[in-house]
Amino acid sequence: MNIQKQLEVLQDWFQPWERVVVAYSGGVDSSLVAKIAYDVLGENALAVTAVSPSLLPEDLATAQEQAQYIGITHELLFTNELANPNYAANPVNRCYFCKSELHERLKVLIQNYASGQIVDGVNADDERDYRPGIQAARERGVRSPLSELNISKLAVRELSRHLGLPWWDKPAQPCLSSRFPAGEAIDAAKLYRVGRAEQYLRQLGWRVVRVRSLGETARIEIPAEQIVPFVQTMDLPALVSYFQELGFRWVTLDLEGFRSGKLNPPHPVNITD
């Protein structure tokens, strides 16, 4: 299916709805969904971003700028998933509890519409990974137009570029809680620490980067082909000093290189409580 046909099919998907609320993170996927929803439904499309310590302030600012560029009405929903011990303990299905809270609260925004729908930016590729948040969304009636129409991540980027969205090649940026291995408890201070560490590296020009938190150790992941330039050009003592000021004791570099979802379980685990 060519890009124009994919775009038309995606637009048609939104036609039946009176009101659509987009769970909008500001990533490429949810931004495309927000763009199409607004193009089809205008003021009857709403983008909502969950705000909590697991979202970098810089990422929130970017999401706001993108929503303004699209033209869609954008609201913030302040969530408190860290207050849920099932989330803060960081089990393998941590995302289930986060998305459960989010989508229960989003229901309020469509309850007065006979034909209202909550949608998210889950794409066809996401269905092949371990994503307990998807299960939580499905249980609450959330629809995923990209996934339902078998639109892949690559197609999302191609469609975004076709529509002239400047962020079409924006790197994925999952929530900061994904930087911790299952079983390592999460709190606001730890989330702040990894967030500041990653932002430090991005400001130095490393666009695709993760700082995994393993107890007192920070493990930096960058694409494998950038490892040698990183070691050769970085002021390593300054890097270590900054990370230690944040509270890390050791700073390491993952020689395998960046891989999305590296801390995810190797096989799906179906746990809901």
Side-chain angles (χ1 to χ4, degrees), residues 45 55 212:
L55 176 67
R212 309 290 187 187

Side-chain angles (χ1 to χ4, degrees), residues 217-239:
T217 300
R219 189 182 75 198
I220 299 169
E221 292 180 18
I222 56 174
E225 66 274 11
Q226 295 179 8
I227 290 175
V228 171
F230 182 91
V231 173
Q232 291 176 338
T233 62
M234 278 293 296
D235 184 339
L236 296 179
L239 166 64

Side-chain angles (χ1 to χ4, degrees), residues 179-231:
R179 312 308 193 264
F180 299 84
E184 180 176 337
I186 300 172
D187 58 34
K190 288 183 176 181
L191 292 168
Y192 176 86
R193 183 171 69 177
V194 295
R196 289 303 95 201
E198 288 191 2
Q199 191 62 17
Y200 173 85
L201 293 170
R202 289 196 186 93
Q203 289 173 342
L204 292 174
W206 304 99
R207 192 161 176 256
V208 179
V209 64
R210 295 285 186 275
V211 176
R212 309 290 187 187
S213 177
L214 307 171
E216 295 182 291
T217 300
R219 189 182 75 198
I220 299 169
E221 292 180 18
I222 56 174
E225 66 274 11
Q226 295 179 8
I227 290 175
V228 171
F230 182 91
V231 173

Side-chain angles (χ1 to χ4, degrees), residues 12-65:
D12 288 344
W13 191 95
F14 285 90
Q15 293 290 349
W17 305 110
E18 177 186 1
R19 167 81 157 175
V20 162
V21 174
V22 182
Y24 169 72
S25 67
V28 178
D29 303 313
S30 64
S31 294
L32 176 62
V33 172
K35 165 66 174 172
I36 302 301
Y38 176 72
D39 287 349
V40 175
L41 298 172
E43 64 181 15
N44 290 318
L46 171 66
V48 179
T49 300
V51 181
S52 75
S54 66
L55 176 67
L56 269 174
E58 291 82 1
D59 289 339
L60 173 58
T62 298
Q64 291 173 309
E65 292 167 3

Side-chain angles (χ1 to χ4, degrees), residues 19 45 86 88 90 104 113 117 138 151 154 172 205 208 214 260:
R19 167 81 157 175
N86 290 318
N90 194 21
E104 286 292 342
Y113 293 85
Q117 181 60 49
R138 296 286 188 275
I151 296 176
L154 177 60
V208 179
L214 307 171
S260 181

Side-chain angles (χ1 to χ4, degrees), residues 105-171:
R105 294 181 62 183
L106 288 181
K107 284 182 181 180
V108 176
L109 300 176
I110 60 167
Q111 64 183 1
N112 295 323
Y113 293 85
S115 177
Q117 181 60 49
I118 301 169
V119 299
D120 62 21
V122 171
N123 65 57
D125 293 336
D126 293 332
E127 302 283 1
R128 291 188 283 272
D129 196 3
Y130 176 60
R131 302 287 180 95
I134 294 177
Q135 179 184 350
R138 296 286 188 275
E139 290 174 357
R140 288 155 182 83
V142 179
R143 300 281 296 272
S144 304
L146 300 176
S147 176
E148 291 180 22
L149 297 174
N150 199 32
I151 296 176
S152 67
K153 185 73 171 188
L154 177 60
V156 167
R157 294 194 184 280
E158 291 175 345
L159 285 163
S160 298
R161 180 165 58 174
H162 178 73
L163 290 169
L165 301 180
W167 54 83
W168 67 271
D169 63 342
K170 178 182 179 181

